[in-house]
Amino acid sequence: MNRDRQQPVYMIGVAAQLCGVHPQTLRQYERLGLVVPARVGAKNRLFSEQDIHRVRRIQRLTQEMGVNLAGVEIILKLLDDVEEMRSDMESQMDDFRRTAEERIANLLQNSNLPIRRDEQLLPTPHLQWRKPDI
């Protein structure tokens, strides 16, 4: 069964057990904004597979690499920014690929037409980069 990694499914006790931490540690991470579990009602938190992965990453950074929680916050923010930029770049490249394929298909359908010299055969990618906020 392929479940969505972002779907909140684990109560805090189960999430803590899966991560090998005390539930209070998860509450502290939430207070610091390192993990944002879903809420069911006013009290209950539900953690997703993605949240579990994030907590394990925090544990690895703090316990194996000696990073303090302020450093973890910066690292996670940078990783989130990189992932967002990667996703945005993929989307822009998909748009470019689609446009190039349309132009090639149009050229192949109208192969008897002369090619204009004053325009490009294929589109030029106009990729836009977003600077990360640090």
Side-chain angles (χ1 to χ4, degrees):
M1 184 170 128
N2 189 12
R3 190 175 46 210
D4 182 6
R5 291 180 45 83
Q6 295 180 346
Q7 182 180 1
V9 291
Y10 302 112
M11 299 291 288
I12 192 167
V14 175
Q17 195 171 24
L18 289 170
C19 297
V21 299
H22 193 276
Q24 194 61 34
T25 302
L26 296 180
R27 290 185 191 99
Q28 179 188 14
Y29 290 169
E30 182 184 10
R31 276 193 303 275
L32 295 172
L34 300 175
V35 177
V36 184
R39 288 285 185 161
V40 177
K43 286 181 65 177
N44 296 322
R45 299 165 177 86
L46 284 179
F47 293 80
S48 65
E49 286 289 333
Q50 194 171 23
D51 294 329
I52 300 297
H53 176 74
R54 193 171 176 93
V55 170
R56 288 178 178 153
R57 178 176 274 169
I58 294 167
Q59 291 297 106
R60 188 173 57 250
L61 287 168
T62 57
Q63 294 178 359
E64 295 175 18
M65 303 177 86
V67 179
N68 64 21
L69 290 177
V72 167
E73 182 181 7
I74 292 170
I75 291 169
L76 292 178
K77 172 82 173 92
L78 288 172
L79 290 172
D80 290 345
D81 286 349
V82 167
E83 177 57 27
E84 186 177 320
M85 286 189 283
R86 185 198 60 76
S87 176
D88 185 47
M89 186 62 56
E90 276 184 11
S91 175
Q92 290 183 49
M93 290 305 293
D94 284 345
D95 291 343
F96 169 73
R97 181 187 46 76
R98 246 187 318 278
T99 302
E101 287 174 352
E102 287 172 9
R103 284 191 181 188
I104 290 170
N106 191 27
L107 287 172
L108 291 175
Q109 285 178 347
N110 302 314
S111 61
N112 293 336
L113 292 177
I115 296 175
R116 292 180 54 169
R117 299 278 183 210
D118 61 341
E119 71 177 18
Q120 295 178 331
L121 188 58
L122 293 176
T124 303
H126 297 285
L127 304 177
Q128 298 178 357
W129 296 86
R130 183 181 64 82
K131 289 185 177 181
D133 302 325
I134 299 178

